[in-house]
Every structure is written in C-alpha cells, then in structure tokens.
Amino acid sequence: MRSILIITLLSCFCAAYEAKVFSKCELARKLKTKGMDGYHGYSLANWVCMAQYESKFDTRAFNGRNTDGSKDYGIFQLNSRWWCKNSNQPSANACNKTCNKFLDDNIDDDITCAKRVVRDPNGMSAWVAWVKHCKGKNLSRYLAGCRL
Ligand SMILES: *[C@@H]1O[C@H](CO)[C@@H](O)[C@H](O)[C@H]1NC(C)=O
Ligand SMILES: *[C@@H]1O[C@H](CO)[C@@H](O)[C@H](O)[C@H]1NC(C)=O
Ligand SMILES: [Ca+2]
C-alpha cells in the first residue's frame, strides 16, 4: 500500500514537470503563431537559432553554473537574477514568474518573458549564445524545410 502511494506521488510529480523537446519546425511554427516573426525587429530565424544554442529546444534545460550564483531556465534559458524568481536568491523578477514555470512543456509564458527580455535596450544580445552563434549570420537553415 505504502509503495503504491509513493509510486502514485512520484508519477504525479513527474507529470507536473513533463519534458518536451521541440523539433526545429515545431518551435518555428509555435513562435510564429505567438507573433515572434519580426518581434522587436528580429526575424523568426533569430529566435529559432537562439533556442537551438541556448537549450537545443529542450523545455527542461537548466543551467545552475553561473558565476554570480544565478540560474538559467528552459528553452530560452531565462535567468533567475533578472527575469524570474526562484526560492534561493533575490531577483528583479521582471517577468513576474516563478522560474520553475520556465521548465514545463507549455512555453507560452516563456515566450511572453522572452518578449519582455528583448524589449530591453540590449535586444537579443541578452542571450550570449545568440551573439556568439546567430548575430549577423546567414540563418536560413534554421527555417529550412519548415512549413510555416
Ligand atoms: C504578478 O503575477 C501575479 C499572478 O501570478 C499577479 O497577481 C500580479 O498582479 C502580477 N504583478 C505584476 C506587477 O504584474
Ligand atoms: C544564405 O544561405 C542560403 C543557403 O545556404 C543561400 O541560399 C542564401 O542565398 C544565403 N543568403 C544570403 C543573404 O547570403
Ligand atoms: Ca512554461
């Protein structure tokens, strides 16, 4: 009885944190329906490229190794110092969200927060991986083969 209860509790816990790894084109379509193509001047391919290098499209991507002690959450690696609040650090929490919300399989709130991030003066340069791998590059391969 006891073990059944534990198994039930564990499976509920896992269900609440269901992982989803998007395919390139699936993410491109989702971003497009959410108005990201051209959002703040950045074409759709920029967003797909950024997510590719930040998370490999994994909604559960997590980085706990920043030198300032902050952590990065989810498909867009949103940072706990500026954009969301976790339990163990002060945060500007500009997206007004608990960081764990950026690890689930619903990326609607992640997209809303990414829009907030890019409205800051740095634009997409907030994402180090975008600067390194996407900025100023030919990005046509990030939408290649996608029905949009
Ligand atoms: C933050 O989110 C909560 C709901 O999660 C809401 O009640 C509150 O008004 C929000 N605050 C701001 C400043 O948007
Ligand atoms: C970008 O790369 C694609 C495929 O390699 C090519 O067809 C296209 O002409 C390139 N665009 C620019 C602006 O160089
Ligand atoms: Ca989410």
Side-chain angles (χ1 to χ4, degrees):
M1 210 41 200
R2 195 182 169 82
S3 62
I4 290 171
L5 180 65
I6 288 169
I7 289 166
T8 307
L9 285 172
L10 278 176
S11 56
C12 289
F13 182 79
C14 294
Y17 287 90
E18 197 81 70
K20 179 177 170 68
V21 180
F22 277 77
S23 74
K24 177 186 80 171
C25 294
E26 187 184 16
L27 180 65
R29 280 192 294 273
K30 175 78 176 176
L31 291 170
K32 191 173 181 192
T33 49
K34 291 286 170 180
M36 295 303 266
D37 191 6
Y39 190 83
H40 220 72
Y42 294 94
S43 70
L44 191 57
N46 279 281
W47 297 101
V48 175
C49 180
M50 179 271 279
Q52 159 77 60
Y53 289 101
E54 289 289 352
S55 67
K56 298 189 176 73
F57 308 137
D58 185 352
T59 57
R60 215 166 48 172
F62 174 75
N63 167 31
R65 301 184 312 273
N66 293 325
T67 50
D68 67 355
S70 66
K71 300 172 183 5
D72 303 319
Y73 293 82
I75 194 160
F76 305 132
Q77 290 290 278
L78 298 160
N79 181 267
S80 64
R81 183 168 175 192
W82 302 108
W83 310 112
C84 60
K85 180 86 184 85
N86 65 20
S87 53
N88 40 36
Q89 268 187 323
S91 174
N93 195 9
C95 291
N96 189 27
K97 279 282 172 185
T98 302
C99 293
N100 282 341
K101 297 279 187 201
F102 298 144
L103 295 176
D104 61 17
D105 61 1
N106 178 349
I107 67 166
D108 289 358
D109 50 358
D110 307 54
I111 292 171
T112 300
C113 188
K115 287 179 171 176
R116 170 64 189 83
V117 173
V118 80
R119 289 197 302 267
D120 258 14
N122 284 339
M124 284 193 81
S125 296
W127 287 281
V128 173
W130 177 81
V131 174
K132 190 167 174 196
H133 299 284
C134 313
K135 186 180 181 182
K137 302 240 160 78
N138 182 340
L139 301 178
S140 62
R141 69 190 171 100
Y142 296 99
L143 300 179
C146 299
R147 283 177 289 105
L148 294 166

